[in-house]
Amino acid sequence: MSDALLDLRDVRKVYGDPDTGLVALNDLSLTIRKDEPEIVTIAGESGSGKSTLANLVLGFTRPTSGQIMFDGTDVGNASAKQMKAYHRQVQAVFQDPFGSYNPFYRVGHVFDMVIRNFKLSSNKTEARQMMEEALNAVGLTGDDVLRKYPHQLSGGQRQRIMMARAYMVKPRLIVADEPVSMVDASLRASILDVMMRLRDEGGISFLYVTHDLSTAYQVGDRILLFYQGTLVEHGKATDVISNPQHPYVQLLIDSVPKPDPTQRWQGEIILPAEEELRTAHSTGCRFVPRCPHAQPACSAALPPAYEVGPRGHRAACILHAPPPQA
Amino acid sequence: MSEPVLSVRGLKVYYATPDGDVLATDDISFDLERGETLGLVGESGSGKTTATSGILRMVSSPGRIAGGRVTLDGEDMIALSDEEFRKRRWSKLALIPQGAMNSLNPTMKISAQIADVVRTHTGAAPDRARVLELFQMVGLPERIYEMYPHELSGGMKQRVCIAMAVALNPTVIIADEATSALDVVVQRVVAQTLAKVRDALGVSMIMIGHDMGLMAQMVDRIAVMYAGKIVEIAPVADMFARPGHPYSKILIESVPSLTERRPMKITEGITHDPRNPPEGCIFQLRCPHVNDGCTKPQPMRELRPGQTVACHRAEELEGAHV
């Protein structure tokens, strides 16, 4: 167990009554190893449980059952003091690069706050050096940005500065919750590039929460796809996205608009009525109401994750159940 | 070619600030042909939404229409009195606003909000059958007639807004980021609804957005905006096969691929102060191919039939990567 950096064991989060409430995350197990920094993408549509997972890992909310272990510390039951130490190891970058700044303070203020909060340094020259190093890691320099106000920077720069702020603490894991979804397409690459550099040069792992499969394909090592709180498919990002096996993931990938006018969408998709989609108390596969391959057995029990390809590619769909042994 | 249904010439919308005017939309011209869907793309702040608020005469202080002509069905829209123009809104020129699903009144039933639009512009409320007909057109079930906005999902609310926009059989619909902020599958369903309604009614459409992938799926022609100017207009196939402007290329290449893992193109740089655009090409401060000629004015010129571009190096850079 000592080689696990983050280890989630059967983590379940239920909002409301544990028996009748909404299951936001259903018995998830996930391990990120210490010796192999990686970008793990957590993907799915709204309500799939991906932000719940981010909030659990950040310690903002506690699991209903199961355990979240980080390098031997039980995050779900940590004291306030342990949590502070934990946040030196696990940092966050959020979606909105406009809302993360106080518009009245210069950019340097976000770094001052972190240095003070974690007592990283009491020496001004040293503090400035730390800021410089962190900014250089994201391709910026202190002279360019520290004296500026947030509105003087582009969304892409602001988000890279947020990455630098997280990096300065020298964490081992960064939870990035939709870090590029509010940044213009032409500037997204710079943020994703920073994530890859921090992984390769800083040895930092990422939980990259997104609904955007194309960026996950470009930067993600592993991907986990969720539907209504359950993990439906996971594996290497390139394997899963180029060869999806779960009917939901197939629909999802086919719906990403291709930047090619000669390959337009074929066929019409009908969404069932909302109330038919609410399957919080279903015992079986959550995707049954929308699935073109649904059969009676699908509603009986949640299908296990069957092996569907190399490198740990698994999909929770009975279409992939191995044939019964003769 | 027949008369365009909507024609915009030299439209300027400026916002007054203490340090001078922000040239949010600066001298743009384009035509919308009958039955056509035109995509208007560009990054945040490029002036897409401001351009449409100019066309719809919805610019409010400190903004103003500083010049230009908008002709709809042969009629000069800018010269009309406010009251005369108000009658054209919705009935000839309908808008699906950005974040439309949050523009519904939370205290009014869906059916009442659609009826309200019709009554305001025709003086008579539509009957239940007409509202249900609109529901059917956009794929909404009858049972939402008595419902309130909070009872619907984002995709359904977005379809309510489409129903409102077509309620008066307009000639032109402007859809401002009509499918952003939706999950990809829902986005596809809403886009599909929009296309179906467009084809059924033969309406012309301007689709505003920033997602080149969605544009490739939906539109006939694309106009690319940067910092208040249109820098290129082309049929969608030409735009993707042979973009003429370096900025169009950057927009197309910045769509991450789902089939090929490749090093990402990093384009940084900050747009100039919109109060003080550079002399000559509007994109010169961020352009990877800038040279001395770029400080001269760059008027839109024809690169090939149907494709116009504001770049003096377009032929030379054809096929070159950004």
Side-chain angles (χ1 to χ4, degrees), chain B residues 225-280:
Chain B
M225 279 191 85
Y226 181 79
K229 298 264 192 202
I230 289 181
V231 296
E232 181 166 5
I233 302 181
V236 66
D238 288 317
M239 181 62 84
F240 280 87
R242 294 173 289 274
H245 198 280
Y247 181 64
S248 310
K249 270 184 214 169
I250 288 176
L251 275 187
I252 292 166
E253 291 190 9
S254 67
V255 182
S257 166
L258 267 181
T259 51
E260 179 198 357
R261 204 156 166 161
R262 57 177 181 227
M264 282 174 298
K265 208 76 236 167
I266 297 181
T267 47
E268 257 299 354
I270 213 164
T271 310
H272 56 264
D273 180 341
R275 285 169 295 221
N276 191 12
E279 282 298 308

Short mmCIF file of all heavy atoms in Angstrom, two decimals, chain B residues 225-280:
data_model
loop_
_atom_site.label_atom_id
_atom_site.label_comp_id
_atom_site.label_asym_id
_atom_site.label_seq_id
_atom_site.Cartn_x
_atom_site.Cartn_y
_atom_site.Cartn_z
N MET B 225 -14.43 36.79 -36.70
CA MET B 225 -14.20 38.14 -36.15
C MET B 225 -13.00 38.14 -35.22
O MET B 225 -12.77 37.18 -34.48
CB MET B 225 -15.41 38.60 -35.35
CG MET B 225 -16.53 39.15 -36.19
SD MET B 225 -17.80 39.96 -35.15
CE MET B 225 -17.11 41.62 -34.97
N TYR B 226 -12.25 39.21 -35.26
CA TYR B 226 -11.17 39.40 -34.29
C TYR B 226 -11.16 40.86 -33.88
O TYR B 226 -11.09 41.74 -34.75
CB TYR B 226 -9.81 38.99 -34.88
CG TYR B 226 -8.70 39.17 -33.89
CD1 TYR B 226 -8.49 38.22 -32.88
CD2 TYR B 226 -7.89 40.31 -33.88
CE1 TYR B 226 -7.51 38.39 -31.92
CE2 TYR B 226 -6.91 40.49 -32.92
CZ TYR B 226 -6.72 39.53 -31.95
OH TYR B 226 -5.76 39.70 -31.00
N ALA B 227 -11.24 41.11 -32.60
CA ALA B 227 -11.14 42.48 -32.06
C ALA B 227 -12.02 43.48 -32.81
O ALA B 227 -11.56 44.57 -33.15
CB ALA B 227 -9.69 42.93 -32.03
N GLY B 228 -13.26 43.11 -33.06
CA GLY B 228 -14.21 44.07 -33.62
C GLY B 228 -14.28 44.09 -35.14
O GLY B 228 -15.13 44.76 -35.70
N LYS B 229 -13.37 43.38 -35.81
CA LYS B 229 -13.36 43.36 -37.28
C LYS B 229 -13.66 41.96 -37.79
O LYS B 229 -13.28 40.97 -37.15
CB LYS B 229 -11.95 43.71 -37.80
CG LYS B 229 -11.47 45.08 -37.41
CD LYS B 229 -11.75 46.05 -38.53
CE LYS B 229 -11.01 47.37 -38.30
NZ LYS B 229 -11.67 48.46 -39.05
N ILE B 230 -14.30 41.89 -38.97
CA ILE B 230 -14.37 40.60 -39.66
C ILE B 230 -13.08 40.46 -40.45
O ILE B 230 -12.70 41.35 -41.20
CB ILE B 230 -15.60 40.53 -40.59
CG1 ILE B 230 -16.88 40.45 -39.74
CG2 ILE B 230 -15.50 39.32 -41.52
CD1 ILE B 230 -18.16 40.36 -40.54
N VAL B 231 -12.37 39.34 -40.24
CA VAL B 231 -11.10 39.15 -40.95
C VAL B 231 -11.21 38.16 -42.09
O VAL B 231 -10.34 38.11 -42.95
CB VAL B 231 -9.94 38.75 -40.00
CG1 VAL B 231 -9.65 39.88 -39.01
CG2 VAL B 231 -10.23 37.46 -39.28
N GLU B 232 -12.27 37.35 -42.09
CA GLU B 232 -12.44 36.42 -43.21
C GLU B 232 -13.89 35.96 -43.29
O GLU B 232 -14.53 35.74 -42.26
CB GLU B 232 -11.53 35.19 -43.04
CG GLU B 232 -11.65 34.20 -44.20
CD GLU B 232 -10.53 33.15 -44.24
OE1 GLU B 232 -9.71 33.14 -43.30
OE2 GLU B 232 -10.50 32.38 -45.20
N ILE B 233 -14.41 35.79 -44.50
CA ILE B 233 -15.71 35.17 -44.73
C ILE B 233 -15.52 34.12 -45.82
O ILE B 233 -14.90 34.41 -46.84
CB ILE B 233 -16.78 36.19 -45.20
CG1 ILE B 233 -16.95 37.31 -44.16
CG2 ILE B 233 -18.12 35.49 -45.43
CD1 ILE B 233 -17.99 38.35 -44.53
N ALA B 234 -16.01 32.90 -45.56
CA ALA B 234 -15.84 31.84 -46.55
C ALA B 234 -16.90 30.77 -46.38
O ALA B 234 -17.42 30.57 -45.29
CB ALA B 234 -14.45 31.22 -46.42
N PRO B 235 -17.22 30.05 -47.48
CA PRO B 235 -18.07 28.86 -47.34
C PRO B 235 -17.39 27.89 -46.39
O PRO B 235 -16.15 27.82 -46.35
CB PRO B 235 -18.11 28.29 -48.77
CG PRO B 235 -17.73 29.42 -49.66
CD PRO B 235 -16.80 30.28 -48.88
N VAL B 236 -18.20 27.14 -45.62
CA VAL B 236 -17.64 26.34 -44.54
C VAL B 236 -16.58 25.35 -45.04
O VAL B 236 -15.52 25.17 -44.42
CB VAL B 236 -18.76 25.65 -43.71
CG1 VAL B 236 -19.51 24.61 -44.54
CG2 VAL B 236 -18.22 25.02 -42.46
N ALA B 237 -16.79 24.76 -46.23
CA ALA B 237 -15.83 23.78 -46.74
C ALA B 237 -14.48 24.45 -47.04
O ALA B 237 -13.42 23.92 -46.70
CB ALA B 237 -16.38 23.10 -47.99
N ASP B 238 -14.52 25.65 -47.65
CA ASP B 238 -13.28 26.36 -47.94
C ASP B 238 -12.59 26.82 -46.66
O ASP B 238 -11.37 26.77 -46.55
CB ASP B 238 -13.56 27.60 -48.81
CG ASP B 238 -13.94 27.21 -50.24
OD1 ASP B 238 -13.27 26.31 -50.77
OD2 ASP B 238 -14.89 27.78 -50.78
N MET B 239 -13.40 27.26 -45.70
CA MET B 239 -12.82 27.76 -44.45
C MET B 239 -11.98 26.67 -43.78
O MET B 239 -10.89 26.93 -43.28
CB MET B 239 -13.94 28.22 -43.52
CG MET B 239 -13.48 28.78 -42.19
SD MET B 239 -12.46 30.26 -42.34
CE MET B 239 -13.69 31.55 -42.48
N PHE B 240 -12.49 25.43 -43.80
CA PHE B 240 -11.74 24.37 -43.13
C PHE B 240 -10.62 23.81 -44.02
O PHE B 240 -9.58 23.42 -43.54
CB PHE B 240 -12.69 23.26 -42.66
CG PHE B 240 -13.37 23.61 -41.37
CD1 PHE B 240 -14.56 24.33 -41.37
CD2 PHE B 240 -12.79 23.28 -40.15
CE1 PHE B 240 -15.17 24.69 -40.18
CE2 PHE B 240 -13.40 23.63 -38.96
CZ PHE B 240 -14.59 24.34 -38.97
N ALA B 241 -10.87 23.79 -45.34
CA ALA B 241 -9.87 23.21 -46.23
C ALA B 241 -8.74 24.20 -46.52
O ALA B 241 -7.58 23.82 -46.59
CB ALA B 241 -10.53 22.75 -47.53
N ARG B 242 -9.09 25.49 -46.71
CA ARG B 242 -8.09 26.48 -47.11
C ARG B 242 -8.33 27.80 -46.42
O ARG B 242 -8.68 28.79 -47.06
CB ARG B 242 -8.18 26.72 -48.63
CG ARG B 242 -7.80 25.54 -49.51
CD ARG B 242 -8.09 25.81 -50.97
NE ARG B 242 -9.54 25.82 -51.24
CZ ARG B 242 -10.24 24.71 -51.50
NH1 ARG B 242 -9.64 23.55 -51.55
NH2 ARG B 242 -11.54 24.78 -51.71
N PRO B 243 -8.19 27.85 -45.08
CA PRO B 243 -8.42 29.14 -44.41
C PRO B 243 -7.43 30.17 -44.93
O PRO B 243 -6.26 29.85 -45.15
CB PRO B 243 -8.20 28.82 -42.94
CG PRO B 243 -7.38 27.57 -42.91
CD PRO B 243 -7.73 26.81 -44.16
N GLY B 244 -7.91 31.40 -45.14
CA GLY B 244 -7.04 32.42 -45.73
C GLY B 244 -6.35 33.29 -44.71
O GLY B 244 -5.28 33.82 -44.96
N HIS B 245 -6.96 33.47 -43.54
CA HIS B 245 -6.39 34.39 -42.55
C HIS B 245 -5.67 33.60 -41.46
O HIS B 245 -6.20 32.57 -41.00
CB HIS B 245 -7.51 35.23 -41.93
CG HIS B 245 -7.00 36.46 -41.25
ND1 HIS B 245 -6.46 36.42 -39.99
CD2 HIS B 245 -6.91 37.75 -41.67
CE1 HIS B 245 -6.07 37.66 -39.65
NE2 HIS B 245 -6.35 38.48 -40.66
N PRO B 246 -4.49 34.07 -41.03
CA PRO B 246 -3.77 33.34 -39.98
C PRO B 246 -4.62 33.13 -38.72
O PRO B 246 -4.52 32.08 -38.08
CB PRO B 246 -2.58 34.25 -39.67
CG PRO B 246 -2.35 35.02 -40.92
CD PRO B 246 -3.71 35.21 -41.55
N TYR B 247 -5.50 34.07 -38.40
CA TYR B 247 -6.32 33.89 -37.19
C TYR B 247 -7.35 32.77 -37.40
O TYR B 247 -7.61 31.99 -36.49
CB TYR B 247 -7.02 35.20 -36.81
CG TYR B 247 -7.85 35.04 -35.56
CD1 TYR B 247 -7.24 34.73 -34.35
CD2 TYR B 247 -9.23 35.16 -35.59
CE1 TYR B 247 -7.99 34.55 -33.20
CE2 TYR B 247 -9.99 34.98 -34.45
CZ TYR B 247 -9.36 34.68 -33.26
OH TYR B 247 -10.11 34.49 -32.12
N SER B 248 -7.92 32.68 -38.61
CA SER B 248 -8.85 31.58 -38.89
C SER B 248 -8.13 30.25 -38.71
O SER B 248 -8.68 29.30 -38.16
CB SER B 248 -9.38 31.65 -40.32
OG SER B 248 -9.86 32.94 -40.62
N LYS B 249 -6.88 30.20 -39.19
CA LYS B 249 -6.09 28.97 -39.06
C LYS B 249 -5.90 28.60 -37.60
O LYS B 249 -6.03 27.44 -37.21
CB LYS B 249 -4.71 29.16 -39.69
CG LYS B 249 -4.70 28.79 -41.13
CD LYS B 249 -3.30 28.90 -41.69
CE LYS B 249 -3.44 29.34 -43.13
NZ LYS B 249 -2.22 29.73 -43.77
N ILE B 250 -5.58 29.60 -36.80
CA ILE B 250 -5.36 29.34 -35.37
C ILE B 250 -6.64 28.80 -34.74
O ILE B 250 -6.62 27.83 -33.98
CB ILE B 250 -4.88 30.62 -34.65
CG1 ILE B 250 -3.44 30.92 -35.07
CG2 ILE B 250 -4.99 30.48 -33.14
CD1 ILE B 250 -2.88 32.19 -34.52
N LEU B 251 -7.78 29.42 -35.09
CA LEU B 251 -9.06 28.95 -34.53
C LEU B 251 -9.32 27.49 -34.90
O LEU B 251 -9.74 26.69 -34.08
CB LEU B 251 -10.21 29.80 -35.05
CG LEU B 251 -10.54 31.10 -34.34
CD1 LEU B 251 -11.82 31.68 -34.92
CD2 LEU B 251 -10.71 30.89 -32.84
N ILE B 252 -9.06 27.15 -36.15
CA ILE B 252 -9.32 25.78 -36.61
C ILE B 252 -8.35 24.80 -35.97
O ILE B 252 -8.74 23.75 -35.49
CB ILE B 252 -9.26 25.70 -38.15
CG1 ILE B 252 -10.44 26.48 -38.75
CG2 ILE B 252 -9.28 24.26 -38.63
CD1 ILE B 252 -10.31 26.77 -40.22
N GLU B 253 -7.07 25.19 -35.91
CA GLU B 253 -6.07 24.26 -35.36
C GLU B 253 -6.15 24.13 -33.85
O GLU B 253 -5.59 23.21 -33.28
CB GLU B 253 -4.67 24.69 -35.80
CG GLU B 253 -4.49 24.47 -37.29
CD GLU B 253 -3.06 24.64 -37.75
OE1 GLU B 253 -2.16 24.76 -36.90
OE2 GLU B 253 -2.86 24.66 -38.98
N SER B 254 -6.84 25.07 -33.20
CA SER B 254 -6.91 24.97 -31.74
C SER B 254 -8.01 24.02 -31.29
O SER B 254 -8.16 23.77 -30.11
CB SER B 254 -7.11 26.35 -31.12
OG SER B 254 -8.37 26.86 -31.47
N VAL B 255 -8.79 23.47 -32.23
CA VAL B 255 -9.78 22.46 -31.84
C VAL B 255 -9.01 21.16 -31.61
O VAL B 255 -8.41 20.63 -32.54
CB VAL B 255 -10.83 22.23 -32.95
CG1 VAL B 255 -11.86 21.21 -32.50
CG2 VAL B 255 -11.50 23.53 -33.30
N PRO B 256 -8.99 20.66 -30.37
CA PRO B 256 -8.20 19.45 -30.14
C PRO B 256 -8.80 18.26 -30.87
O PRO B 256 -10.01 18.09 -30.91
CB PRO B 256 -8.26 19.24 -28.62
CG PRO B 256 -9.07 20.35 -28.06
CD PRO B 256 -9.70 21.11 -29.18
N SER B 257 -7.94 17.46 -31.44
CA SER B 257 -8.39 16.31 -32.23
C SER B 257 -8.75 15.14 -31.33
O SER B 257 -8.20 14.97 -30.25
CB SER B 257 -7.28 15.90 -33.18
OG SER B 257 -7.56 14.63 -33.71
N LEU B 258 -9.70 14.33 -31.80
CA LEU B 258 -10.07 13.12 -31.06
C LEU B 258 -9.48 11.88 -31.72
O LEU B 258 -9.75 10.76 -31.33
CB LEU B 258 -11.59 12.97 -31.04
CG LEU B 258 -12.32 13.55 -29.85
CD1 LEU B 258 -13.81 13.30 -29.99
CD2 LEU B 258 -11.81 12.99 -28.55
N THR B 259 -8.71 12.10 -32.78
CA THR B 259 -8.21 10.94 -33.50
C THR B 259 -6.69 10.92 -33.61
O THR B 259 -6.11 9.92 -33.96
CB THR B 259 -8.78 10.92 -34.94
OG1 THR B 259 -8.55 12.21 -35.51
CG2 THR B 259 -10.25 10.62 -34.95
N GLU B 260 -6.08 12.05 -33.30
CA GLU B 260 -4.64 12.11 -33.49
C GLU B 260 -4.05 12.92 -32.33
O GLU B 260 -4.45 14.05 -32.09
CB GLU B 260 -4.36 12.82 -34.82
CG GLU B 260 -2.93 12.98 -35.16
CD GLU B 260 -2.72 14.04 -36.25
OE1 GLU B 260 -3.74 14.58 -36.76
OE2 GLU B 260 -1.58 14.34 -36.56
N ARG B 261 -3.10 12.30 -31.62
CA ARG B 261 -2.48 13.01 -30.52
C ARG B 261 -1.29 13.76 -31.07
O ARG B 261 -0.41 13.17 -31.67
CB ARG B 261 -2.04 12.01 -29.46
CG ARG B 261 -1.92 12.60 -28.09
CD ARG B 261 -2.06 11.50 -27.06
NE ARG B 261 -1.62 11.97 -25.76
CZ ARG B 261 -1.96 11.37 -24.64
NH1 ARG B 261 -2.71 10.30 -24.65
NH2 ARG B 261 -1.52 11.83 -23.49
N ARG B 262 -1.30 15.08 -30.92
CA ARG B 262 -0.21 15.86 -31.51
C ARG B 262 0.15 16.99 -30.57
O ARG B 262 -0.68 17.40 -29.74
CB ARG B 262 -0.62 16.39 -32.87
CG ARG B 262 -1.88 17.21 -32.79
CD ARG B 262 -2.29 17.82 -34.12
NE ARG B 262 -3.49 18.61 -33.90
CZ ARG B 262 -4.58 18.57 -34.66
NH1 ARG B 262 -4.62 17.82 -35.71
NH2 ARG B 262 -5.62 19.32 -34.37
N PRO B 263 1.37 17.50 -30.71
CA PRO B 263 1.77 18.61 -29.84
C PRO B 263 0.80 19.77 -30.01
O PRO B 263 0.40 20.08 -31.14
CB PRO B 263 3.17 18.99 -30.34
CG PRO B 263 3.60 17.92 -31.25
CD PRO B 263 2.40 17.15 -31.69
N MET B 264 0.42 20.38 -28.91
CA MET B 264 -0.57 21.44 -29.02
C MET B 264 0.07 22.75 -29.45
O MET B 264 1.19 23.06 -29.11
CB MET B 264 -1.25 21.62 -27.68
CG MET B 264 -2.28 20.55 -27.44
SD MET B 264 -2.95 20.69 -25.81
CE MET B 264 -1.50 20.43 -24.84
N LYS B 265 -0.68 23.47 -30.25
CA LYS B 265 -0.25 24.75 -30.77
C LYS B 265 -0.47 25.79 -29.68
O LYS B 265 -1.60 26.01 -29.25
CB LYS B 265 -1.15 25.06 -31.97
CG LYS B 265 -0.56 25.93 -33.02
CD LYS B 265 0.42 25.22 -33.89
CE LYS B 265 1.73 26.00 -33.83
NZ LYS B 265 2.82 25.24 -34.39
N ILE B 266 0.58 26.40 -29.24
CA ILE B 266 0.40 27.41 -28.19
C ILE B 266 0.45 28.80 -28.80
O ILE B 266 1.42 29.17 -29.45
CB ILE B 266 1.45 27.25 -27.10
CG1 ILE B 266 1.25 25.88 -26.46
CG2 ILE B 266 1.35 28.35 -26.06
CD1 ILE B 266 2.18 25.57 -25.37
N THR B 267 -0.64 29.51 -28.65
CA THR B 267 -0.66 30.88 -29.13
C THR B 267 -1.03 31.75 -27.96
O THR B 267 -2.14 31.68 -27.47
CB THR B 267 -1.73 31.08 -30.22
OG1 THR B 267 -2.93 30.47 -29.77
CG2 THR B 267 -1.30 30.47 -31.52
N GLU B 268 -0.09 32.49 -27.48
CA GLU B 268 -0.40 33.40 -26.38
C GLU B 268 -0.45 34.81 -26.94
O GLU B 268 -0.60 35.00 -28.13
CB GLU B 268 0.66 33.28 -25.27
CG GLU B 268 0.18 32.48 -24.08
CD GLU B 268 -1.05 33.07 -23.36
OE1 GLU B 268 -1.53 34.18 -23.68
OE2 GLU B 268 -1.52 32.39 -22.44
N GLY B 269 -0.27 35.72 -26.08
CA GLY B 269 -0.30 37.10 -26.53
C GLY B 269 -1.64 37.66 -26.21
O GLY B 269 -2.65 36.96 -26.14
N ILE B 270 -1.64 38.93 -25.97
CA ILE B 270 -2.84 39.57 -25.49
C ILE B 270 -3.31 40.52 -26.57
O ILE B 270 -2.51 41.08 -27.31
CB ILE B 270 -2.51 40.24 -24.14
CG1 ILE B 270 -3.72 40.21 -23.23
CG2 ILE B 270 -1.98 41.64 -24.31
CD1 ILE B 270 -3.37 40.49 -21.80
N THR B 271 -4.61 40.62 -26.69
CA THR B 271 -5.18 41.51 -27.69
C THR B 271 -4.86 42.95 -27.30
O THR B 271 -4.79 43.27 -26.12
CB THR B 271 -6.69 41.26 -27.75
OG1 THR B 271 -6.89 39.87 -27.88
CG2 THR B 271 -7.34 41.96 -28.91
N HIS B 272 -4.71 43.78 -28.31
CA HIS B 272 -4.43 45.21 -28.05
C HIS B 272 -5.57 45.87 -27.26
O HIS B 272 -6.67 45.33 -27.19
CB HIS B 272 -4.23 45.93 -29.38
CG HIS B 272 -5.41 45.77 -30.30
ND1 HIS B 272 -5.47 44.81 -31.28
CD2 HIS B 272 -6.61 46.39 -30.34
CE1 HIS B 272 -6.63 44.86 -31.89
NE2 HIS B 272 -7.35 45.82 -31.34
N ASP B 273 -5.30 47.05 -26.75
CA ASP B 273 -6.33 47.84 -26.09
C ASP B 273 -7.39 48.20 -27.14
O ASP B 273 -7.08 48.81 -28.16
CB ASP B 273 -5.67 49.13 -25.54
CG ASP B 273 -6.67 50.02 -24.83
OD1 ASP B 273 -7.88 49.87 -25.07
OD2 ASP B 273 -6.23 50.87 -24.04
N PRO B 274 -8.64 47.77 -26.92
CA PRO B 274 -9.66 47.97 -27.97
C PRO B 274 -10.00 49.45 -28.20
O PRO B 274 -10.76 49.77 -29.11
CB PRO B 274 -10.87 47.20 -27.43
CG PRO B 274 -10.66 47.09 -25.97
CD PRO B 274 -9.18 47.08 -25.75
N ARG B 275 -9.46 50.34 -27.37
CA ARG B 275 -9.67 51.76 -27.62
C ARG B 275 -8.66 52.29 -28.62
O ARG B 275 -8.79 53.38 -29.14
CB ARG B 275 -9.51 52.56 -26.32
CG ARG B 275 -10.70 52.41 -25.41
CD ARG B 275 -10.40 52.96 -24.04
NE ARG B 275 -9.36 52.18 -23.41
CZ ARG B 275 -9.38 51.83 -22.13
NH1 ARG B 275 -10.36 52.20 -21.35
NH2 ARG B 275 -8.41 51.13 -21.62
N ASN B 276 -7.61 51.47 -28.81
CA ASN B 276 -6.49 51.99 -29.56
C ASN B 276 -5.91 50.90 -30.46
O ASN B 276 -4.81 50.43 -30.24
CB ASN B 276 -5.45 52.47 -28.53
CG ASN B 276 -4.37 53.28 -29.16
OD1 ASN B 276 -4.49 53.68 -30.32
ND2 ASN B 276 -3.30 53.49 -28.44
N PRO B 277 -6.68 50.51 -31.48
CA PRO B 277 -6.21 49.43 -32.35
C PRO B 277 -4.97 49.85 -33.13
O PRO B 277 -4.79 51.03 -33.40
CB PRO B 277 -7.40 49.18 -33.28
CG PRO B 277 -8.21 50.42 -33.24
CD PRO B 277 -7.97 51.06 -31.91
N PRO B 278 -4.11 48.88 -33.48
CA PRO B 278 -2.91 49.23 -34.24
C PRO B 278 -3.27 49.71 -35.64
O PRO B 278 -4.32 49.37 -36.17
CB PRO B 278 -2.15 47.90 -34.30
CG PRO B 278 -3.19 46.84 -34.10
CD PRO B 278 -4.22 47.45 -33.21
N GLU B 279 -2.38 50.50 -36.24
CA GLU B 279 -2.53 50.89 -37.65
C GLU B 279 -2.43 49.63 -38.50
O GLU B 279 -1.54 48.81 -38.25
CB GLU B 279 -1.35 51.75 -38.09
CG GLU B 279 -1.28 53.22 -37.70
CD GLU B 279 -2.39 54.09 -38.22
OE1 GLU B 279 -2.63 54.06 -39.45
OE2 GLU B 279 -2.99 54.80 -37.42
N GLY B 280 -3.27 49.49 -39.49
CA GLY B 280 -3.13 48.35 -40.40
C GLY B 280 -3.88 47.13 -39.89
O GLY B 280 -4.98 47.25 -39.37
#
